[in-house]
Amino acid sequence: MSVALSAADLFSAAILLEEKGARFYSEAAARFSGEGKKLLSGLASMERVHAGRFRKVLEGLPQSGEMTEEKEYYLRMLTGDRIFTPEAEMEKRDDYGGILEKAITVEKNSVFFYTAVKDSLAQSMDGTAVDLLIREEIGHFQSLTDALQRWLERKGEA
């Protein structure tokens, strides 16, 4: 399927993803205290900042034409369960390590999504905003990986 998405379409999708990420991390943070709560709350805050940054970029873009059924379907496929996969859904029984594993999966999927977005934007606009976001998502991945390693070491499983 070849669907012509505009930069506005892609940034609209990215805003939705960042908002979903903020909810994910906020819900996760509510389960913990101390270091875990601080890390997850900080990530929720960063996701809200990303959404705000993308809103500013979106304001400066020409709006795309009508949202066709085909475009809507494609955006749903890009943003639906491809980043927040069923495996990344939080469950009541998840401990801190389990939540970190799920968050790491979400961040890896996000990097892939934003890399695809950047490639789609290559001919229509500068991908600098997306480059910055990719670096930040990779930073989130690293922070989560480090936190998981510390947690496993404390549990004697590393």
Side-chain angles (χ1 to χ4, degrees):
M1 172 197 300
S2 178
V3 177
L5 295 174
S6 70
D9 295 330
L10 294 170
F11 277 93
S12 294
I15 290 166
L16 295 174
L17 286 172
E18 294 301 317
E19 290 170 345
K20 193 170 186 176
R23 285 190 302 276
F24 175 85
Y25 286 120
S26 292
E27 289 172 20
R31 295 176 174 215
F32 304 103
S33 61
E35 178 186 328
K37 184 175 197 76
K38 182 178 177 182
L39 171 67
L40 296 166
S41 293
L43 289 167
S45 178
M46 286 184 230
E47 299 296 337
R48 285 189 288 276
V49 167
H50 295 166
R53 186 178 298 147
F54 281 162
R55 276 188 198 89
K56 288 187 185 302
V57 171
L58 183 60
E59 288 171 7
L61 295 174
Q63 294 305 303
S64 63
E66 95 180 62
M67 179 59 73
T68 64
E69 192 173 311
E70 194 175 38
K71 263 189 192 180
E72 186 176 345
Y73 173 78
Y74 188 68
L75 285 171
R76 268 199 325 269
M77 293 287 78
L78 273 176
T79 61
D81 64 356
R82 302 293 192 252
I83 294 175
F84 291 90
T85 61
E87 297 80 27
E89 289 181 21
M90 284 185 277
E91 298 175 20
K92 289 184 181 190
R93 70 179 194 277
D94 287 335
D95 62 9
Y96 184 60
I99 295 291
L100 292 175
E101 290 280 2
K102 290 176 180 197
I104 288 167
T105 297
V106 167
E107 294 299 335
K108 284 193 299 189
N109 294 344
S110 295
V111 169
F112 176 80
F113 171 76
Y114 289 120
T115 301
V117 164
K118 182 179 177 222
D119 288 345
S120 297
L121 295 175
Q123 295 180 6
S124 62
M125 68 175 284
D126 182 10
T128 305
V130 180
D131 281 335
L132 176 61
L133 186 67
I134 290 169
R135 284 192 301 276
E136 289 179 14
E137 297 294 330
I138 291 170
H140 295 177
F141 174 83
Q142 186 62 52
S143 296
L144 290 160
T145 301
D146 292 347
L148 180 61
Q149 183 65 33
R150 287 190 304 275
W151 183 78
L152 290 171
E153 287 170 357
R154 282 194 297 268
K155 284 187 67 179
E157 294 181 17

